[in-house]
Amino acid sequence: MKVAVIFNKRKNTEGEGVINVFGAQNQETYNPATVERVAAALEQGGHNVRVIDGNIHVIEQLQDFMPRVMQGDQPGMVFNMAYGIQGVSRYTHIPSLLEMLGIPYVGSSPAGHGIALDKVTTKVMIQAAGLPTAPYWVFHNADQIQGDLPFPVITKPKMEAVSLGIQVIHDMNSLRTAITGLVAQFKQPVLVEQFIPGREFAVGLLGNHDPEVLPIVEIDLEGDAFGIQSLEDKLRKPKNKLCPAQIDDKLANELRRLTRETFKVLGIFDFCRVDFRMDEDGNLYILELNSMASLGMTGTYVCAAKAAGYTYESLINRMLDVAVERYFGKEFDDAALNREEETTITRKDPLRVRLRSFLRSNIGTMEDYLEKMVDINSFVENIDGVNLLGRWISSQLSGSGFDRQVFSMSEVGNVLYFTNHAGEANDVLIVGNLDNPVDYEDYISFSEERGRIYGTGVSRGKGGIAVLLGALKALRYTRTVKRVKIGLLFITDDSKGGSSSRTIMQELSAKSNYVLGLNGAGLSGEIITASLGSTCFNIEVNRTRSKVRNQFFSDEDDPVLYCAQKINQLKKLNSEENSVFVTLTGMETRGNEDQPVYHAALSFILRYQNPEQSKKMDVQIMRIFEPKPHGSVRVNVTKGAQRKPFLSNNSTLQFYDQIEKIAKVVEVRINKEETGITSLLANVAPGVPAVDGLGPRTGGYGSKDEYIVRDSMIDRSVLLAYLIYKIGRQFG
């Protein structure tokens, strides 16, 4: 199952992740280490996990990750750890959003969180249900205090948690000062309760219809009947927890009963913790219910779960399970998800789980790899840069059991071929490119923003190489890489149509059972089974007549008008039915300040479906630009980079069917596409099953703003690693 863990990162700057700073700001955040521990626990449970910051961009990230049940996908879940960013009832914000989006989640509804966070509403509902709670008063300012109160009392902001603002007060002057300070600090009313000297208990609950009550915890107040657990205690030196609490069965049963009743009265789901005080006469008082009990390792809830026999991993997965049961029923299990489990590997730790767990924990390394590659300017004309990138990749593969072969290419950079075996044939040949077509002046450096990674080449090869390196390291970690005969080919002339590396690719692909390309996928995870070929054309137009100073020339002398007429003729060649497209890529003119333009240059790309179309279209284009006798302009036509189409075949379509099955196992969304974007696999030997687009999901392809989706590096690495493994086993 796909599970998004949503939490709130601690903000580095005011206003980060929101449109405006508005209302009370959240002071309650999870330690990132705890969030990672929860994510790792879910991965060990076999789930596909993504960690998401619950800010303004959360919908966009959920759209990228979550399955579409209405389109036939199996449901996903959110494991909600988000306390909110700002404003009133912040616990409710993410659950409300998830309700709107139609995404099931772990934890209480917006109504449940809203009631539990509001300490006054909680006490009203508890009292109305006949449950015991201490006498209380609510003050908006210190002037509202009338008469004597039964000191000592304890103050609490009306809608805060984690012991924020609590104070034990013993006299009226101190109470007035405390209320004034708390109202100013938290901008909300203050709850004042009669303080109950005595012992303190916390009782955790897990489940819904017949919830499990976890072992009772007593907070060790070290014999101080007036002791409390302050925020400082929780953050710096948590008080000892006695679990199971040393109490008799009668008291234990009453604590369990009151916990269940409070859970039902407040309308809470899945899990919670109820806090109690007990006076010296043995009377119990409900203090509050925490609808988002802390999952920190030192927290009361985790302490109780461990006493109940849970490991941290089994606790987190049980929390997910009870939410799944609430939404879908107990019958909703792995079988209902149609998961394909490995027959030779236990369900507890299948290969796909270990791959994903390794890769998610190494996403930072993959990102560092990508940044290093983007920093190397491998423009196709910069041979030193292309070769530098090749040497860096060689250094990454040198310790992984791959031997290198170099094909010297003085004009475009050295083509590199790596294998992890001594044989001639490969189970799989994986093809990437080292060059890119972006010149120095248009180079964009590495940057990350809103879950997207920008930089020259991230979608044109470098993102795919980062995915490959991650997949190979994951296979090595799981000790499965040596079981597959892998060939890695890195060409250096992709920007020029692959003409120099054509023979090498044909020979190596002919000796391989399958071929995979590392080009970036589209935003929907497209796997490319075919693509169009292309030819670049450059047209130069110059006036030929003698020029007389200050003379105005006729239309037939005008290179710009000539190009405009030809563009109209070129557009008529477009045929969606026949998959023929002409794309204008540039036009420039030259002229003097006091005379009309004397030179124009036009460039365009012709895309076509098969070689026969290419020949026919070449003839038509040459006819369009055929010079007229005694013409007033001189025309020169030059053909630039030409790339063959990547043709589909039955073996490729059968190969895609296998990839589609694997994608379901590893829970990675893919789509089959025959694309108009050219593929680096155009020169694969005929008949060999080959697909492209195994790189990360990309956007802005072919523009300065090209980017990859950061988290897709994990998904695509898992898909690639598992695919390599299955190829080695002949999909058995």
Side-chain angles (χ1 to χ4, degrees):
M1 174 181 283
K2 286 190 172 183
V3 182
V5 177
I6 300 182
F7 81 116
N8 298 115
K9 292 181 180 178
R10 187 174 294 278
K11 307 308 175 187
N12 296 319
T13 58
E14 188 177 45
E16 183 181 349
V18 296
I19 296 176
N20 296 305
V21 176
F22 188 82
Q25 298 298 297
N26 179 27
Q27 300 181 53
E28 186 178 7
T29 57
Y30 263 110
N31 186 323
T34 300
V35 179
E36 285 298 317
R37 191 175 289 115
V38 169
L42 291 167
E43 284 173 341
Q44 289 185 35
H47 301 289
N48 177 351
V49 182
R50 179 173 297 179
V51 176
I52 295 175
D53 186 5
N55 60 18
I56 192 174
H57 308 301
V58 69
I59 293 180
E60 179 183 350
Q61 295 186 68
L62 287 171
Q63 282 180 311
D64 286 340
F65 179 66
M66 276 293 161
R68 269 67 164 179
V69 178
M70 295 178 64
Q71 298 177 10
D73 292 346
Q74 297 295 340
M77 291 282 291
V78 164
F79 196 103
N80 181 33
M81 299 177 69
Y83 290 121
I85 297 176
Q86 62 185 8
V88 178
S89 295
R90 60 181 185 274
Y91 281 18
T92 70
H93 295 171
I94 289 298
S96 297
L97 189 65
L98 296 173
E99 293 278 348
M100 182 189 75
L101 296 176
I103 299 174
Y105 55 92
V106 175
S108 289
S109 67
H113 281 309
I115 291 169
L117 187 61
D118 187 330
K119 291 178 170 57
V120 175
T121 301
T122 295
K123 292 185 76 69
V124 169
M125 294 185 69
I126 288 173
Q127 271 192 335
L131 301 177
T133 188
Y136 67 96
W137 303 264
V138 182
F139 299 111
H140 292 78
N141 55 64
D143 295 335
Q144 290 184 311
I145 302 175
Q146 296 180 359
D148 293 332
L149 298 182
F151 292 99
V153 295
I154 187 167
T155 59
K156 303 175 183 178
K158 179 175 181 282
M159 300 192 69
E160 294 297 333
V162 294
S163 302
L164 285 167
I166 67 169
Q167 303 175 52
V168 178
I169 306 295
H170 295 272
D171 60 76
M172 184 62 71
N173 288 335
S174 298
L175 178 60
R176 292 181 183 278
T177 301
I179 290 174
T180 300
L182 290 174
V183 170
Q185 179 180 356
F186 293 99
K187 306 295 189 296
Q188 57 186 274
V190 177
L191 171 68
V192 177
E193 290 180 289
Q194 182 178 339
F195 181 73
I196 308 298
R199 299 165 72 181
E200 184 166 331
F201 301 97
V203 187
L205 188 148
L206 177 59
N208 289 293
H209 300 299
D210 185 20
E212 174 187 4
V213 180
L214 300 177
I216 297 166
V217 178
E218 180 172 5
I219 308 302
D220 185 4
L221 301 177
E222 300 175 343
D224 182 4
F226 288 87
I228 61 172
Q229 186 170 217
S230 67
L231 177 60
E232 184 177 355
D233 291 332
K234 293 179 179 180
L235 295 178
R236 298 184 181 180
K237 189 180 179 182
K239 291 188 180 297
N240 291 331
K241 299 169 182 64
L242 308 176
C243 185
Q246 300 303 303
I247 56 178
D248 59 35
D249 290 344
K250 181 180 178 181
L251 177 57
N253 289 335
E254 181 64 3
L255 284 166
R256 295 187 188 103
R257 183 188 73 82
L258 292 174
T259 298
R260 288 194 179 97
E261 289 297 319
T262 306
F263 177 80
K264 292 177 183 178
V265 166
L266 300 187
I268 304 302
F269 294 145
D270 299 340
F271 74 106
C272 72
R273 189 196 73 235
V274 180
D275 297 336
F276 298 85
R277 293 285 288 206
M278 185 177 74
D279 65 19
E280 60 182 5
D281 296 324
N283 298 311
L284 289 171
Y285 299 88
I286 299 167
L287 299 180
E288 63 182 18
L289 180 146
N290 190 323
S291 59
M292 290 190 66
S294 172
L295 298 177
M297 296 298 287
T298 61
T300 305
Y301 194 82
V302 173
C303 174
K306 288 183 176 180
Y310 288 97
T311 64
Y312 194 84
E313 291 72 25
S314 63
L315 169 65
I316 298 303
N317 282 281
R318 179 57 187 155
M319 292 171 68
L320 178 69
D321 289 345
V322 298
V324 169
E325 290 171 8
R326 173 167 58 86
Y327 281 102
F328 308 113
K330 292 184 178 180
E331 296 78 16
F332 189 84
D333 56 14
D334 284 359
L337 287 173
N338 295 316
R339 290 186 179 179
E340 285 190 19
E341 296 291 351
E342 293 296 315
T343 58
T344 59
I345 303 176
T346 65
R347 282 173 63 91
K348 182 179 179 181
D349 192 23
L351 175 63
R352 62 184 176 84
V353 175
R354 289 182 286 150
L355 290 172
R356 184 173 292 281
S357 180
F358 173 84
L359 286 162
R360 207 182 62 77
S361 64
N362 283 272
I363 180 64
T365 301
M366 295 170 65
E367 194 170 355
D368 290 343
Y369 286 165
L370 185 54
E371 182 174 7
K372 177 65 177 179
M373 286 188 282
V374 171
D375 286 345
I376 299 173
N377 192 331
S378 57
F379 173 50
V380 66
E381 301 291 346
N382 179 21
I383 298 174
D384 289 340
V386 172
N387 286 336
L388 176 59
L389 178 58
R391 289 194 296 272
W392 182 84
I393 293 172
S394 298
S395 69
Q396 300 305 310
L397 294 172
S398 61
S400 301
F402 282 87
D403 295 323
R404 184 182 69 169
Q405 182 178 353
V406 179
F407 297 91
S408 297
M409 299 281 179
S410 59
E411 296 184 359
V412 292
N414 297 329
V415 173
L416 304 179
Y417 176 56
F418 300 84
T419 59
N420 67 339
H421 61 94
E424 285 288 321
N426 298 308
D427 292 327
V428 59
L429 176 67
I430 303 172
V431 183
N433 63 290
L434 304 180
D435 63 301
N436 71 75
V438 180
D439 205 343
Y440 305 100
E441 60 187 19
D442 294 323
Y443 170 82
I444 302 296
S445 59
F446 179 95
S447 65
E448 182 180 351
E449 180 182 355
R450 293 172 50 186
R452 296 175 176 179
I453 295 177
Y454 296 84
T456 296
V458 292
S459 64
R460 293 180 179 268
K462 292 177 179 178
I465 294 172
V467 164
L468 171 65
L469 293 174
L472 292 176
K473 289 182 180 296
L475 287 170
R476 187 181 180 198
Y477 168 76
T478 56
R479 300 182 180 179
T480 52
V481 69
K482 292 183 179 179
R483 302 177 186 179
V484 192
K485 296 179 180 178
I486 303 171
L488 309 174
L489 177 63
F490 297 98
I491 64 174
T492 54
D493 61 343
D494 181 59
S495 306
K496 295 186 175 182
S499 57
S500 299
S501 61
R502 180 175 302 155
T503 302
I504 298 170
M505 187 179 295
Q506 287 175 343
E507 291 178 354
L508 294 176
S509 60
K511 299 176 182 178
S512 304
N513 295 335
Y514 301 94
V515 179
L516 304 174
L518 296 176
N519 263 332
L523 289 175
S524 296
E526 290 83 355
I527 297 292
I528 301 167
T529 57
S531 68
L532 302 181
S534 67
T535 304
C536 297
F537 287 87
N538 297 294
I539 314 297
E540 292 189 80
V541 184
N542 294 285
R543 280 195 271 113
T544 59
R545 290 182 178 175
S546 300
K547 312 299 186 299
V548 178
R549 188 173 181 82
N550 295 328
Q551 178 181 350
F552 289 94
F553 296 93
S554 64
D555 288 346
E556 65 179 12
D557 300 317
D558 187 349
V560 176
L561 182 59
Y562 176 89
C563 288
Q565 294 170 343
K566 299 307 179 183
I567 289 172
N568 286 331
Q569 295 180 46
L570 288 171
K571 284 188 174 182
K572 293 179 181 179
L573 298 178
N574 284 322
S575 172
E576 190 168 347
E577 180 181 356
N578 296 320
S579 296
V580 173
F581 305 96
V582 177
T583 304
L584 184 68
T585 57
M587 183 173 177
E588 65 174 40
T589 61
R590 296 177 193 165
N592 296 325
E593 184 177 348
D594 58 348
Q595 291 189 2
V597 169
Y598 62 84
H599 168 84
L602 177 69
S603 60
F604 60 90
I605 295 177
L606 169 69
R607 292 187 173 89
Y608 48 87
Q609 193 172 38
N610 56 64
E612 290 72 24
Q613 284 179 326
S614 172
K615 295 176 183 177
K616 292 179 182 178
M617 300 308 299
D618 279 0
V619 171
Q620 293 188 51
I621 288 172
M622 297 307 292
R623 190 174 295 158
I624 288 174
F625 291 99
E626 185 175 6
K628 296 179 180 180
H630 312 295
S632 57
V633 293
R634 183 173 65 250
V635 180
N636 182 53
V637 180
T638 305
K639 291 174 68 172
Q642 184 172 15
R643 192 193 300 274
K644 295 166 55 180
F646 170 39
L647 302 176
S648 184
N649 55 56
N650 288 333
S651 59
T652 288
L653 297 178
Q654 292 172 5
F655 184 31
Y656 176 81
D657 290 341
Q658 295 288 352
I659 298 174
E660 193 171 45
K661 293 177 183 177
I662 289 169
K664 290 180 179 179
V665 173
V666 299
E667 296 182 306
V668 174
R669 189 182 307 147
I670 66 169
N671 288 294
K672 180 170 62 177
E673 183 178 37
E674 296 185 1
T675 180
I677 299 175
T678 54
S679 168
L680 51 71
L681 300 188
N683 294 317
V684 168
V688 177
V691 297
D692 202 355
L694 270 297
R697 291 188 291 119
T698 66
Y701 190 89
S703 71
K704 288 184 178 181
D705 295 324
E706 66 174 306
Y707 67 87
I708 67 168
V709 179
R710 178 183 182 271
D711 286 339
S712 73
M713 289 198 293
I714 300 173
D715 280 349
R716 305 303 277 196
S717 293
V718 172
L719 176 62
L720 179 58
Y722 204 89
L723 177 56
I724 292 170
Y725 167 74
K726 294 293 282 186
I727 286 174
R729 297 187 61 184
Q730 299 180 354
F731 297 102

